[in-house]
Amino acid sequence: MSVEVTGDPAPTGYERSCEAAGDVDHGRAIRDVLDRVGDKWSLLVVATLRDERLRFSELQRHIPGISQRMLTLTVRQLERDGLITRTVYAEVPPRVEYELTDLGGTLITLAMALADWAIENHPHIEESRAAYDAAHQR
Amino acid sequence: MSVEVTGDPAPTGYERSCEAAGDVDHGRAIRDVLDRVGDKWSLLVVATLRDERLRFSELQRHIPGISQRMLTLTVRQLERDGLITRTVYAEVPPRVEYELTDLGGTLITLAMALADWAIENHPHIEESRAAYDAAHQR
DNA sequence: CGGCATCCGGGCAGATACTG
DNA sequence: CAGTATCTGCCCGGATGCCG
């Protein structure tokens, strides 16, 4: 039952690594989602849209550090993945609003769990880092 | 109550964005954890160490796509964060074993929840992507 | 065996300028 | 207002070679 290397473009073996991570062949799903979740801005955008639909500029104002380009790319990705919807109003000046889909809503739960873990364990991590740095500094 | 920009190296505003994401000032914690979780290999290494302690080469064999360099950097990070332990045995040839800490164990739960979400919703995402691509192709 | 140092190539992300 | 286009710099990550 050796792992067959298919003719995929440029796997770098990462997909196969996901599969070997413990579960079955859901590696691609995990990798896909991880790539999105791991994205610097995606979760932030989703979180920002949690309880209000916002237009582009509002979104950008709610997420101080993001550039216009990155916001554009991020919302495109999220829209493509069905996590948010993009609604264009034929007005002048043009208005575009973004809203979380149901699927995006379910992701919030995960994000919150992650955030909770982060908040709860961050002191521990910081402490560990300090200890490590103290031990390894020269 | 303007946000104080401390003398940090290169914030790029990302930290402040996390803070604005909805919660309080736990932004740094969330960002830290997100950076680690979003890391391509970290979760994979943690998952691989879930129920067995492994030495370096074993770890590398369990994660096909990872390079020696990346594995080294990843385990260093994880060790620094207190998620895994690194034990060196003074033998010839040298032996180094990595094991999950309790903190790392709690992260597994999160990772599994994330994996479950990924597996459950991936078809939906793929479907959405296909529809999006079909609608936007030229 | 388990690293670390070095080099280097590709892709990501910021800044800027232009458009519907 | 809400993008797109282009250019550029920089960091990530692979490959290689050497050490304890």
Side-chain angles (χ1 to χ4, degrees), chain A residues 26-85:
Chain A
H26 300 117
R28 186 173 312 172
I30 296 175
R31 179 179 55 83
D32 273 10
V33 173
L34 218 60
D35 280 357
R36 196 69 57 244
V37 169
D39 186 62
K40 234 180 165 179
W41 306 109
S42 292
L43 271 192
L44 233 39
V45 169
V46 169
T48 305
L49 289 175
R50 175 165 56 151
D51 35 25
E52 44 179 354
R53 73 189 266 143
L54 295 171
R55 51 198 300 181
F56 190 86
S57 54
E58 291 172 332
L59 210 41
Q60 191 171 17
R61 222 168 301 123
H62 276 73
I63 309 177
I66 198 169
S67 67
Q68 192 183 40
R69 170 193 165 85
M70 279 301 100
L71 182 54
T72 301
L73 292 179
T74 302
V75 292
R76 285 289 178 278
Q77 288 275 336
L78 293 175
E79 184 197 3
R80 193 173 99 99
D81 287 358
L83 296 172
I84 67 176
T85 59

Side-chain angles (χ1 to χ4, degrees), chain B residues 6-47:
Chain B
T6 66
D8 281 297
T12 64
Y14 183 54
E15 295 83 349
R16 293 171 56 206
S17 300
C18 286
E19 299 179 19
D23 290 79
V24 272
D25 75 324
H26 301 118
R28 187 173 312 173
I30 296 177
R31 179 180 53 86
D32 274 10
V33 172
L34 217 61
D35 280 357
R36 196 71 56 243
V37 169
D39 187 61
K40 233 181 165 179
W41 305 109
S42 292
L43 271 191
L44 232 39
V45 169
V46 169

Side-chain angles (χ1 to χ4, degrees), chain B residues 5 16 43 49 52 68 79 85 97-98 119 130-131 138:
Chain B
V5 176
R16 293 171 56 206
L43 271 191
L49 289 174
E52 45 179 352
Q68 189 186 43
E79 184 198 3
T85 58
E97 289 192 346
Y98 295 92
I119 293 167
R138 118 227 39 189

Side-chain angles (χ1 to χ4, degrees), chain B residues 66-115:
Chain B
I66 198 170
S67 68
Q68 189 186 43
R69 172 191 165 86
M70 278 303 100
L71 182 54
T72 301
L73 293 179
T74 303
V75 293
R76 284 289 177 280
Q77 289 274 338
L78 293 175
E79 184 198 3
R80 194 172 100 99
D81 287 357
L83 297 172
I84 66 176
T85 58
R86 177 175 178 270
T87 311
V88 183
Y89 296 89
E91 307 171 355
V92 280
R95 183 162 55 103
V96 178
E97 289 192 346
Y98 295 92
E99 189 177 18
L100 219 60
T101 64
D102 292 344
L103 183 60
T106 67
L107 185 56
I108 289 279
T109 311
L110 265 290
M112 288 305 157
L114 208 60

